[in-house]
Amino acid sequence: MRILKTVLRWLLGIAFIAAGINHFWHPDFYLKIMPDYLPWHRELVYLSGVCEIVAGALLLHRQTQSLAAWGIVAMLLVFFTVHIDMLVHAERYPEVSPAFLWGRLLLQFVLVAWAWLYTGRPASPLSPLRERGRG
């Protein structure tokens, strides 16, 4: 189970790094989905990209995984507003089916749960030794 959790942590971290890099490779995609009520669209696209890269990188290290996971959970909760706005204004995205938009929104719950797995303090490699000495 420990190996699976480590592999999943690395997958999530790499996915967030890749998603963050994508904000710089394809900013127009993200600019198009920015809700009208938010200011500074381009700056927020780049800022969210940086945050995703940093959080993904921090998640790869056991010492910072909890901080990173909390950051990812917070980002995903903020990103809910974008997904909800896309659903409310689905007519702006005729190339995307409403089912896909709903799927993206539901995926956020899966991603939050996935990140939540890593919000706790990682076990120290010495934990079993310490436990044994407390008999």
Side-chain angles (χ1 to χ4, degrees), residues 47-95:
L47 177 63
S48 61
V50 168
C51 290
E52 288 182 357
I53 292 167
V54 169
L58 290 174
L59 192 64
L60 300 180
H61 302 282
R62 292 188 70 230
Q63 296 83 357
T64 55
Q65 77 179 31
S66 179
L67 173 66
W70 281 113
I72 289 171
V73 167
M75 275 191 290
L76 290 169
L77 293 176
V78 169
F79 295 165
F80 268 111
T81 61
V82 173
H83 296 291
I84 291 170
D85 188 72
M86 288 181 77
L87 275 168
V88 169
H89 300 289
E91 72 280 354
R92 295 181 188 168
Y93 313 99
E95 70 280 4

Side-chain angles (χ1 to χ4, degrees), residues 12 16 72-73 76 106-116:
L12 185 62
F16 264 82
I72 289 171
V73 167
L76 290 169
L106 295 175
L107 178 62
Q108 296 298 296
F109 291 101
V110 173
L111 293 173
V112 167
W114 188 356
W116 188 268

